[in-house]
Structure formats: C-alpha cells, structure tokens
Amino acid sequence: MFLRDTDAKLTLYLRRASRLKNPDPARVRIMEGDVLDRSTLEAAMKGQHVVYANLAGPMAEQARVIVDSMRAAGLKRLIFISSMGIYGEVPGEKYRGVLDPYRDSAAVIEASDLDYTILRPGWFTRDEAVDYRITQKGEPFRGHDVSLNSVSDLIVKLALSPTMEVRHSLGVSRAA
Ligand SMILES: NC(=O)c1ccc[n+]([C@@H]2O[C@H](COP(=O)([O-])OP(=O)(O)OC[C@H]3O[C@@H](n4cnc5c(N)ncnc54)[C@H](OP(=O)(O)O)[C@@H]3O)[C@@H](O)[C@H]2O)c1
C-alpha cells in the first residue's frame, strides 16, 4: 500500500535481508539488522520520518532499544503493532501470560515521550476488504478478527500524518 498509494520511500529492516526481494529499488532500501542491535538500528533510522515496528519475541527489550534509538536519531513518530487483549479489554477473554511481552512493550512506549500510536489488532485474516473500526484504550474491544488489508490501510494513514491518533493505543477490528 505504501508503494501503490503513496510516494513514500521505505527502509525495510530485517534480520535476514536475503529473504526479501526489493519490490522497487528506486524507493526501497533493504537493511539487514537485528532490532536489538542498537548501533545498526540507529544507523537505519537516520534520515527517516516514521518508524513502523511489527515484531515478536522479547518485545519489551525490543521496545526499549527502539525508543532509545529513536531518541538518539531525533525521531518522534512510532507506529507499533501489539495485540488485542493487553489491557484485559476483550470481553470474556483472559489472555494472561502469553500477552506479557505485548503488555510490557506497550508500557515502555507509553512511558516514552514519543509520538506513538500502538495498534492492538484482532486476529489477522486475508480477507481483501478494508473494513475496520477503532476502539480507544479504556473502551472494550469489539469483534474478534481484522483483515491485514485493514491494518495496512490504517498504518499508511497513520504514517502519513504526524498528528493522527498520537499517543493513543487503538483496538482494530472488523466493523460489525
Ligand atoms: N497473527 C495474528 O492474528 C495477530 C493478531 C494480533 C496481533 N498480532 C501480532 O502482530 C505481530 C506481527 O504478526 P505476524 O503474524 O506477522 O508475526 P511474525 O510472523 O512472528 O512476525 C514477527 C516478525 O518480527 C521479526 N523479529 C523478531 N525479532 C526480531 C529482531 N530482534 N530483530 C528484527 N526482527 C525481529 C521476525 O523476523 P524473523 O523473520 O527474522 O524471525 C518476524 O518477521 C506479532 O507481534 C503478532 O503477535 C498477530
């Protein structure tokens, strides 16, 4: 969607660059690195406007490195993918320990001075539709799943706006 619908230039940062074929070398730079490797991450951040992070694993530690690297690189805008359920906001569900890395990483980001937007999507589907609703932190999560196209649509809108939903944590689910 970034390449199709915007004129953004992208730096894609991943642990094994050979896994990715560059879809548009004029606009896309691929950099190999681990998020936990602060110096490589900081180098990748130089000259960027927005950081979009979509991770798994030791997410609290990853969030700490991202926040520190962004501060050092002079960046403010972060879009961070988390999961539904981190605040106990999904009616009838108790995800407990499995969500600890998501909960702890969100807490690290919320305690930072970044212009963050945390996304708490439902289960991803490959449904083509762009069809979603947002719930704010403090509201019950509604629904259960959401198409990847919907999450992508929201990420692109957020990345293009320095002010949209800044310092908010959003539940994202399929509209009724
Ligand atoms: N699937 C769902 O329905 C769903 C719903 C809600 C939320 N979520 C959350 O959304 C996020 C993305 O989901 P997904 O299904 O795309 O997960 P995924 O396939 O596990 O992707 C996680 C990515 O993080 C990368 N990564 C992990 N540690 C890294 C590090 N230290 N440095 C650089 N990259 C690192 C992995 O890279 P490698 O390829 O190198 O391992 C992988 O590409 C996850 O946090 C997931 O829990 C998923």
Side-chain angles (χ1 to χ4, degrees):
M1 281 188 195
F2 275 117
L3 293 176
R4 189 190 70 196
D5 301 338
T6 80
D7 58 5
K9 294 197 175 111
L10 308 176
T11 292
L12 307 180
Y13 187 88
L14 73 165
R15 291 194 281 200
R16 266 200 297 139
S18 60
R19 293 176 63 189
L20 213 53
K21 185 174 175 313
N22 192 325
D24 184 349
R27 292 173 59 197
V28 177
R29 175 174 72 136
I30 296 176
M31 261 189 87
E32 184 164 287
D34 193 302
V35 164
L36 297 175
D37 180 346
R38 163 109 188 244
S39 59
T40 319
L41 186 64
E42 217 179 292
M45 285 181 177
K46 290 260 156 58
Q48 310 295 317
H49 296 108
V50 179
V51 175
Y52 157 55
N54 184 342
L55 294 161
M59 290 175 69
E61 201 185 338
Q62 292 167 352
R64 265 181 230 111
V65 179
I66 290 170
V67 168
D68 290 347
S69 303
M70 286 183 69
R71 193 174 290 130
L75 303 184
K76 290 292 275 183
R77 188 76 171 108
L78 171 66
I79 301 160
F80 190 89
I81 305 297
S82 182
S83 170
M84 67 172 170
I86 60 170
Y87 308 118
E89 78 279 21
V90 182
E93 298 275 7
K94 287 198 179 59
Y95 294 105
R96 297 179 196 280
V98 70
L99 285 186
D100 282 351
Y102 298 84
R103 207 169 276 129
D104 296 346
S105 52
V108 168
I109 291 163
E110 288 169 330
S112 78
D113 60 359
L114 295 176
D115 292 341
Y116 67 81
T117 306
I118 295 170
L119 299 186
R120 292 175 281 113
W123 286 107
F124 299 151
T125 72
R126 297 198 173 270
D127 179 9
E128 289 289 308
V130 172
D131 170 29
Y132 58 98
R133 65 180 154 201
I134 285 170
T135 45
Q136 295 289 341
K137 183 175 179 180
E139 294 177 342
F141 191 89
R142 298 174 66 195
H144 185 267
D145 51 347
V146 66
S147 72
L148 284 165
N149 276 354
S150 295
V151 182
S152 304
D153 180 84
L154 180 57
I155 291 163
V156 170
K157 288 194 169 82
L158 291 167
L160 295 182
S161 166
T163 53
M164 180 181 171
E165 303 286 2
V166 158
R167 297 190 68 81
H168 289 181
S169 170
L170 308 177
V172 193
S173 55
R174 183 156 48 90

